Amino acid sequence: MALFSDVRSKPHKRSSVWAYIAQRVLLIPEAGVLLGLVLLGWKFSFPPLIGFLAILTVAAFALRLGLLSLAERQLARGAYAQADRLVRAALRLNPWSADALVLRAQGLSQRGEDEAAEQVLRRAACLYPHDHMLQSALAASVVAQGRLSEGWQLVSTDQEATTDSPLVLQQLAWFALHVEDNPARARTLILRSAPDRLPPPVALPLLTTLAGAHIALGAQVNAREVLKTIEFRLGECAQPQQAELLYHLGRLYQILDDNGAVYYRRCVELDPDGRYAQAAWRSAVNPGT
């Protein structure tokens, strides 16, 4: 199951107006500070001190966005330590930023530090309890630690989210294939998400699960076609996700009695510090593992 996709903080439809406002304040506290400074400036005829504080507030906001942007770029090329330092600096400016918390959890997860990622995501979920994308990311982190029943509860809590979220559909399909042993349902869920219409970072994890479902159903020709599609579009994903997909390509080709070692080696070369590097190396050296 893909651990993370493009998770961004979005208010749930059922959240109240006040909950929505509270989330916006937590996401961009600089806006509230700036509004307060404008009101104070208007009341006191805009003294220089107010203008100076307003400039500092805007600068802090710009700096935080810049740090997150740089962290995202570092993370996309597998520079996990550098990305983590940048995200932690952004969190010092705004400890309640959902995007920063998710980005930090993503980096931890991509290094295989699932317990630490879970702690960060639980903090984010407490701050934004109505964000179903955060719940999905938390479920993926829990499942990665082998707590399948708890992960299933987190995924299935918000039934409304399953109708419009490819990430949630992918997780439900993964559970159908690997836990419920129901590849037909897994295939139906994946096809419902219309992966051919989605961007590669979202579509390719869906197609990976679809290929596994095809193999379980004995449709090997269909599985090979899906795997070729994944391989063809790998370059459109970030480096850590490419490594993850290469690992799964090797695993699925191995199930099809093909040579999976070449994909395992590419996984290690592409992301030597990533979560799949050790498992891929073992599988490349000893295909029977």
Side-chain angles (χ1 to χ4, degrees), residues 19-270:
Y20 174 80
I21 293 173
Q23 286 192 13
R24 298 302 98 183
V25 170
L26 289 176
L27 282 171
I28 315 176
E30 297 91 348
V33 173
L34 196 58
L35 177 61
L37 288 173
V38 169
L39 292 174
L40 283 173
W42 177 76
K43 183 175 181 179
F44 296 105
S45 301
F46 292 97
L49 178 61
I50 296 294
F52 177 71
L53 292 175
I55 292 171
L56 281 181
T57 302
V58 173
F61 178 64
L63 175 61
R64 185 162 63 84
L65 291 185
L67 288 169
L68 290 179
S69 178
L70 286 173
E72 235 174 340
R73 293 180 187 178
Q74 295 292 331
L75 203 57
R77 65 183 187 87
Y80 301 115
Q82 296 92 320
D84 193 61
R85 283 196 294 269
L86 291 165
V87 173
R88 284 189 283 113
L91 282 169
R92 282 194 287 271
L93 293 172
N94 178 12
W96 310 285
S97 169
D99 288 343
L101 290 169
V102 168
L103 200 60
R104 179 147 199 258
Q106 182 177 342
L108 291 167
S109 177
Q110 288 175 344
R111 283 184 290 182
E113 299 180 24
D114 296 309
E115 291 185 9
E118 180 189 349
Q119 291 178 2
V120 174
L121 287 169
R122 287 197 181 279
R123 178 185 170 194
C126 287
L127 292 170
Y128 305 93
H130 300 298
D131 192 327
H132 64 74
M133 299 302 288
L134 275 174
Q135 294 295 329
S136 297
L138 177 58
S141 182
V142 168
V143 168
Q145 298 175 64
R147 288 145 51 198
L148 298 182
S149 59
E150 185 180 347
W152 167 252
Q153 283 185 329
L154 287 167
V155 170
S156 58
T157 296
D158 190 352
Q159 293 298 324
E160 184 179 334
T162 65
T163 63
D164 59 3
S165 169
L167 177 60
V168 175
L169 284 171
Q170 195 269 335
Q171 290 178 326
L172 292 173
W174 188 92
F175 275 103
L177 178 61
H178 296 285
V179 179
E180 300 172 1
D181 194 22
N182 189 346
R185 181 170 184 266
R187 182 172 62 181
T188 299
L189 287 166
I190 296 297
L191 294 176
R192 189 204 302 177
S193 70
D196 55 317
R197 301 179 183 177
L198 298 171
V202 180
L204 298 192
L206 288 160
L207 293 179
T208 301
T209 304
L210 179 61
H214 281 318
I215 292 172
L217 291 167
Q220 295 192 359
V221 173
N222 292 335
R224 291 180 192 278
E225 290 177 355
V226 173
L227 292 176
K228 287 179 181 177
T229 300
I230 295 170
E231 189 171 2
F232 179 74
R233 304 195 71 183
L234 270 178
E236 300 176 65
C237 298
Q239 192 169 314
Q241 190 177 26
Q242 288 185 46
E244 177 182 352
L245 292 166
L246 283 167
Y247 174 80
H248 290 302
L249 282 171
R251 179 178 58 82
L252 292 169
Y253 273 122
Q254 195 171 322
I255 294 172
L256 291 168
D257 294 324
D258 288 353
N259 181 19
V262 62
Y263 299 100
Y264 291 135
R265 292 192 185 99
R266 285 173 62 191
C267 171
V268 176
E269 291 170 1
L270 196 62

